[in-house]
Amino acid sequence: MSSLTVKDLTKSFGATPVLTGVDLHVPGGSFTALLGPSGCGKTTLLRLIAGFDDPDSGTVAVGDRVVAGAGRSVPARRRGIGFVPQEGGLFPHLTVAGNISFGLPRRQRRDGGRVRELLALVGLDAHLADRAPHELSGGQQQRVALARALAPEPSLVLLDEPFSSLDAALREETRAAVSRALTASGATAVLVTHDQAEALSMADQVAVLRGGRLVQLTDPRTLYRRPGDLDVATFVGEAVVLDAELRGGRAHCVLGALPYEQASAGAVPDGRARVLLRPEQLRLSTPAGAGSVARVQGVDFYGHDSRVWLRLPDGGQVTGRLDGADLPAVGDDVTISVRGTALAFPAGDGGAGPAVAAKGALRAPAPLS
């Protein structure tokens, strides 16, 4: 296994900058996810690491070996890097065994034991070795693509959104199989994804890219619980962002006087601020006692849990995440209490507006009459 070190990497296409001074270190044997919205530069970064493109400046090193920059550019085929593309990229005229053994020396290609070993590693039966790619499911094809990438025993494996074309159930199953195979192989892995759940569940560390810059690099729990700014917070999971005033050790907002912690970006002085809560921190009860009264606007039921849309007294809207039992009905008045602490950011930080549930994929229900 080898580490990956990227230093001050830049890349432009024509007059358009795509990456601007990216620094990234991936420890040997670890799994890192490059997470960000479309157009943030994550696939370009992966291609520079793989050797499919050359950087304008900066360096890429695999272990102690500089493979790009500093006056050198090692060809992709000589970098010792395995690559799994988005659609698998299997050769349609070759069998599964032929695909897996394609890049191996002739002696190893003749040895069926290596193919059986790799099929077992990615969780596939040996009887699939003689099948053509079109006879496999999408998840099986992606596992074969991973087996092909692992066949030469690379020290680094790159995965470019390999699960995006799979349906939800197959995606979960394939992700788990790929994660187990990478762990068993001991290879260092870098995954490009725009799927937050994928990044948080699979990776040892997550690198968040925005506008061609790496804005936060940390472990998944820290990223979710202590995001570097509100833009990261609202990208990595659903978020409730509220205007507040900090005084007396409390954040005073529409949900009451909440205990809070300072965001990792630095100390936030008393006065105007914005606070972050996660929807699962909201607790609902019948209107009685302390708490902020809100009206239920909608309920999205998912079985294992539900999203509840809530209209606040000031006209703002938030969402809560509850388990699937004993849900309120649309039109009910409920009291909102908060479990745990809020995270305070400067008043001018980005993210959603006052008293809203921030998440690009969410669509609010129509207001009640």
Side-chain angles (χ1 to χ4, degrees):
M1 65 184 75
S2 295
S3 62
L4 168 69
T5 305
V6 172
K7 290 186 177 179
D8 199 24
L9 209 64
T10 65
K11 181 66 177 179
S12 297
F13 294 108
T16 305
V18 179
L19 295 175
T20 309
V22 172
D23 293 321
L24 173 67
H25 180 69
V26 179
S30 69
F31 194 127
T32 293
L34 301 179
L35 178 65
S38 297
C40 70
K42 56 187 184 296
T43 294
T44 297
L45 177 56
L46 204 72
R47 290 180 60 84
L48 295 178
I49 295 168
F52 301 149
D53 290 313
D54 293 322
D56 296 334
S57 62
T59 60
V60 176
V62 179
D64 297 327
R65 182 188 181 208
V66 175
V67 296
R72 71 186 69 185
S73 180
V74 177
R77 66 183 182 279
R78 295 180 181 171
R79 293 193 181 189
I81 294 175
F83 189 83
V84 181
Q86 188 168 353
E87 300 294 338
L90 300 180
F91 301 117
H93 62 289
L94 297 179
T95 64
V96 166
N99 270 280
I100 292 174
S101 61
F102 179 79
L104 296 178
R106 184 176 300 175
R107 178 183 57 80
Q108 287 185 295
R109 289 202 302 269
R110 290 196 299 263
D111 180 10
R114 179 60 174 158
V115 170
R116 290 192 296 272
E117 175 188 331
L118 287 162
L119 286 172
L121 184 67
V122 298
L124 293 176
D125 291 334
H127 75 267
L128 297 176
D130 295 326
R131 289 194 183 180
H134 72 269
E135 297 177 300
L136 305 178
S137 70
Q140 288 172 330
Q141 290 181 30
Q142 288 303 104
R143 296 195 210 184
V144 172
L146 176 63
R148 182 178 62 185
L150 292 173
E153 299 183 272
S155 56
L156 174 64
V157 177
L158 308 178
L159 304 100
D160 186 10
E161 301 199 54
F163 316 114
S164 60
S165 62
L166 307 179
D167 63 50
L170 191 55
R171 187 161 58 243
E172 288 283 341
E173 178 187 335
T174 306
R175 279 198 313 225
V178 167
S179 184
R180 288 192 298 268
L182 289 169
T183 300
S185 72
T188 308
V190 177
L191 166 74
V192 160
T193 182
H194 62 270
D195 185 319
Q196 297 87 349
E198 196 165 277
L200 295 176
S201 64
M202 294 185 70
D204 299 310
Q205 64 174 5
V206 181
V208 181
L209 276 75
R210 184 174 65 223
R213 295 182 179 276
L214 197 158
V215 294
Q216 189 165 5
L217 175 65
T218 188
D219 65 275
R221 289 189 179 186
T222 301
L223 181 65
Y224 186 77
R225 294 174 178 173
R226 300 191 67 84
D229 58 40
L230 283 177
D231 283 331
V232 172
T234 55
F235 182 73
V236 183
E238 297 175 32
V240 174
V241 182
L242 305 170
D243 285 338
E245 182 178 343
L246 306 184
R247 66 176 188 272
R250 294 272 170 165
H252 297 263
C253 65
V254 68
L255 296 185
L258 308 179
Y260 72 93
E261 300 176 38
Q262 300 280 352
S264 57
V268 183
D270 280 1
R272 290 180 59 248
R274 308 191 80 188
V275 293
L276 166 73
L277 297 166
R278 295 298 186 184
E280 60 269 20
Q281 291 183 257
L282 304 189
R283 291 290 178 265
L284 307 184
S285 58
T286 55
S292 177
V293 176
R295 175 163 290 187
V296 177
Q297 279 198 293
V299 178
D300 298 334
F301 181 71
Y302 303 113
H304 50 79
D305 73 343
S306 298
R307 179 191 294 130
V308 180
W309 299 86
L310 302 160
R311 176 69 68 182
L312 300 178
D314 67 354
Q317 181 173 264
V318 298
T319 60
R321 279 281 187 174
L322 310 177
D323 63 33
D326 299 324
L327 293 172
V330 174
D332 283 355
D333 288 333
V334 294
T335 297
I336 303 176
S337 57
V338 176
R339 185 181 69 171
T341 59
L343 196 61
F345 292 85
D349 203 346
V356 298
K359 186 66 179 165
L362 299 186
R363 178 179 57 82
L368 292 174
S369 57

